[in-house]
Amino acid sequence: MAMSSANTSKAASTVVSLHSDVEDKRSSILVVGWDGPTDPANPRNWSRRRRWATTIVASLFAFMSPVASSMIAPSLPQLSADMGIQPGSLLQSMTLSIFVLAYAIGVLIWGPLSELLGRQLVLQVSNIFFLVFNIACGLAKTTPQVLAFRFLAGLGGAAPMAVAGGSVGDLWSPDERGLAMSIYSLAPLIGPATGPLVGGWVAQKAGDWRWVYWSTSIAAGILQLVAFLVLRETYPPIILGRKAARLRKETGDPHIRSVHDTGRRPAAVFFGGMVKPLLFLATEPIVQVFALYMAVLYGVLYLTLTTFVEVWRVRYGEADGLAGTHYLAVFLGSTVGGQAGSRVLDFLYRRLKARNGGVGTPEMRLPLLMVTATTLPIGLLIYGWTAEHRLFWLLPDIGVFIFSVGIGGNWLCIQTYLVDNYALLAASAIAAVSSFRAFAGFGFPLFADAMYSKLGDGWGNSILALVCLVIGCPAPFFFYRYGPKLRALSKHAVLEK
């Protein structure tokens, strides 16, 4: 519909008055940005209530999927009996861990889609995808159906791993990001612990493994309804792209573009987005080292989750429900590591920034990691040897608690460091780490039974402790010293102001 000259003039004056809109005289392209530093359309200028509501819902999406990934663990004997799967077999372990394998592929799909469609739409569509196939798991009649539906449910559940962390980065400035990131970072850590904790009682009370899937589907459905009401788009390129499209329509000027518009075709953006995390893994030392470290942490976490119930069943003679309550050690440890760590992280960042003349750097996130990295090998040694000798039940839980404090603190520091390093490309960096660690989350449980049967809990966990010590402890010191040089050489790293 043609616009009147008065309306056209009014819309054009609106464009010109924008704070960040500048005309490129060489190409006559008008570039659209935020309407000043206090533009209410900028997610960082939303009210704290709205930002926290969005952060919590995004974090719950990231919590729901890991819960579903591990909740079946205490019910594996029931499922195996129904499906004719041999107890302790590789196939039984795959029934649990194939869900996590889907994360490795899913984050490479959902991350690029969020660059085209926005974070909000991807989070909601992927949750519906997860919900459909999670329900299908409860209806499965054969082992191939269970494996296929578990994989597809995991594919849908992978989106929050790739997208939600970037959404939190969109909402909060570096100075105030620590607490929000700690809540999000907790989700993929306490989720796997919460699943078996609840699943143990479901298995014992309901007596039917299918109720594991019914209960998680009900929770995911309720969350989806809340998301419809709460979630709004947070990704600046999408928000400003919509703004530019609106102004093009109002003015009739086809040369108006978002400041983030590269002119690339959607297909190029999508496939480029799929390749970008792989490129990060191939070329970015920061991503490479932390992807390897997080793979070890995630693998050890899922290995522990897979075998934890058996420790209490076999060595301590406890029933399913009671054995499942020991996952509280993982839950509480991850919570303490994340929540206490977030406050320390923000405090140290502000203090180091003030010492640096008011200029913050990603390396200011690493001093806490230097401390929390040591808790993993310590906790694993305590857990392994106290369980090996069947000492008082609280002692293995203390070891797992210490180990989990390290996981919560480490993932918080690493994720915040990646967001600070890569700004708008943080989703790709996080996707690279998430994809790589998912392979470990899938693979480690597959050799858990063989390792512990040959080495026992003591020596088995000692080997894991040594791996955490060798890979994890030197990394923060190295990047604290050489991080600025590596960032200067990187084509992707951006020092966020």
Side-chain angles (χ1 to χ4, degrees):
M1 182 181 295
M3 295 175 60
S4 69
S5 60
N7 287 342
T8 303
S9 175
K10 181 179 178 181
S13 66
T14 301
V15 175
V16 173
S17 68
L18 294 174
H19 173 76
S20 299
D21 296 349
V22 293
E23 186 171 359
D24 187 336
K25 300 184 182 299
R26 294 172 298 175
S27 59
S28 299
I29 293 177
L30 201 62
V31 181
V32 175
W34 297 122
D35 189 7
T38 59
D39 187 348
N42 186 339
R44 292 188 181 178
N45 294 327
W46 293 354
S47 68
R48 288 186 65 85
R49 181 178 180 180
R50 184 178 178 185
R51 284 187 290 162
W52 273 116
T54 304
T55 297
I56 290 171
V57 171
S59 299
L60 285 174
F61 274 125
F63 171 77
M64 194 66 247
S65 174
V67 167
S69 75
S70 62
M71 192 168 169
I72 193 64
S75 301
L76 281 179
Q78 295 179 11
L79 186 151
S80 299
D82 281 359
M83 298 293 174
I85 300 173
Q86 182 180 353
S89 65
L90 185 66
L91 185 59
Q92 186 184 56
S93 298
M94 282 188 64
T95 304
L96 174 71
S97 62
I98 197 170
F99 190 103
V100 184
L101 177 62
Y103 286 174
I105 301 170
V107 295
L108 300 179
I109 297 173
W110 297 114
L113 274 179
S114 73
E115 295 184 17
L116 291 174
L117 306 176
R119 308 199 200 277
Q120 179 252 3
L121 182 61
V122 165
L123 283 173
Q124 299 210 39
V125 170
S126 64
N127 187 62
I128 294 173
F129 190 91
F130 157 75
L131 182 58
V132 168
F133 287 103
N134 196 61
I135 293 173
C137 287
L139 299 173
K141 302 297 184 182
T142 65
T143 301
Q145 287 178 355
V146 171
L147 293 174
F149 294 150
R150 285 274 292 172
F151 180 83
L152 292 171
L155 202 63
M161 307 297 116
V163 176
S167 187
V168 173
D170 296 338
L171 291 164
W172 304 94
S173 68
D175 284 343
E176 55 186 359
R177 186 176 290 155
L179 180 58
M181 192 61 75
S182 74
I183 293 176
Y184 164 71
S185 298
L186 271 178
L189 298 176
I190 65 173
T194 304
L197 176 63
V198 177
W201 290 108
V202 171
Q204 185 171 318
K205 299 296 183 181
D208 187 351
W209 58 269
R210 298 180 190 277
W211 266 102
V212 169
Y213 295 108
W214 305 145
S215 57
T216 50
S217 297
I218 291 170
I222 294 172
L223 178 59
Q224 185 65 58
L225 295 176
V226 174
F228 282 138
L229 300 175
V230 173
L231 283 189
R232 297 293 181 272
E233 187 53 60
T234 65
Y235 191 42
I238 294 294
I239 297 173
L240 293 176
R242 292 171 181 171
K243 180 180 181 181
R246 185 180 70 250
L247 292 173
R248 286 196 298 270
K249 182 177 180 181
E250 292 175 354
T251 63
D253 184 353
H255 300 295
I256 297 175
R257 294 289 183 269
S258 159
V259 68
H260 299 291
D261 190 348
T262 62
R264 299 171 65 198
R265 293 182 177 181
V269 173
F270 177 73
F271 289 108
M274 290 186 68
V275 172
K276 196 181 299 177
L278 302 178
L279 183 65
F280 272 45
L281 279 173
T283 63
E284 294 287 315
I286 293 171
V287 174
Q288 290 168 347
V289 172
F290 284 127
L292 178 62
Y293 187 36
M294 281 309 302
V296 172
L297 297 189
Y298 212 60
V300 172
L301 175 63
Y302 269 88
L303 186 151
T304 303
L305 294 174
T306 304
T307 59
F308 203 41
V309 169
E310 288 304 307
V311 169
W312 300 104
R313 280 177 180 162
V314 176
R315 292 191 178 274
Y316 289 84
E318 295 179 353
D320 288 348
L322 184 58
T325 60
H326 292 278
Y327 284 100
L328 275 172
V330 181
F331 180 94
L332 294 175
S334 300
T335 302
V336 170
Q339 295 307 302
S342 69
R343 287 158 177 80
V344 175
L345 193 66
D346 280 345
F347 171 77
L348 290 175
Y349 185 85
R350 287 192 294 265
R351 188 169 180 176
L352 293 172
K353 181 179 177 181
R355 286 184 182 179
N356 197 38
V359 178
T361 67
E363 286 68 41
M364 294 173 184
R365 305 291 188 184
L366 297 177
L368 178 61
L369 184 58
M370 297 173 185
V371 177
T372 56
T374 63
T375 63
L376 277 86
I378 293 172
L380 283 169
L381 289 172
I382 294 173
Y383 164 59
W385 288 106
T386 55
E388 176 74 20
H389 295 288
R390 302 181 187 180
L391 300 182
F392 180 54
W393 62 266
L394 184 60
L395 295 177
D397 281 345
I398 290 174
V400 171
F401 174 83
I402 295 172
F403 161 73
S404 301
V405 167
I407 289 184
N410 288 1
W411 183 225
L412 166 66
C413 295
I414 292 170
Q415 184 142 281
T416 309
Y417 181 68
L418 291 174
V419 170
D420 286 358
N421 253 302
Y422 296 102
L424 287 175
L425 296 177
S428 293
I430 293 172
V433 173
S434 299
S435 179
F436 194 75
R437 76 179 186 184
F439 284 109
F442 166 73
F444 273 47
L446 300 184
F447 65 76
D449 288 330
M451 182 182 74
Y452 285 123
S453 64
K454 290 183 178 180
L455 300 178
D457 291 308
W459 285 113
N461 284 292
S462 294
I463 291 176
L464 298 177
L466 179 62
V467 173
C468 290
L469 179 67
V470 171
I471 296 176
C473 291
F477 294 94
F478 176 84
F479 286 114
Y480 191 80
R481 181 170 181 178
Y482 297 107
K485 294 181 180 178
L486 293 172
R487 189 163 50 253
L489 295 173
S490 171
K491 296 180 181 179
H492 306 288
V494 178
L495 183 59
E496 188 172 5
K497 304 296 183 184

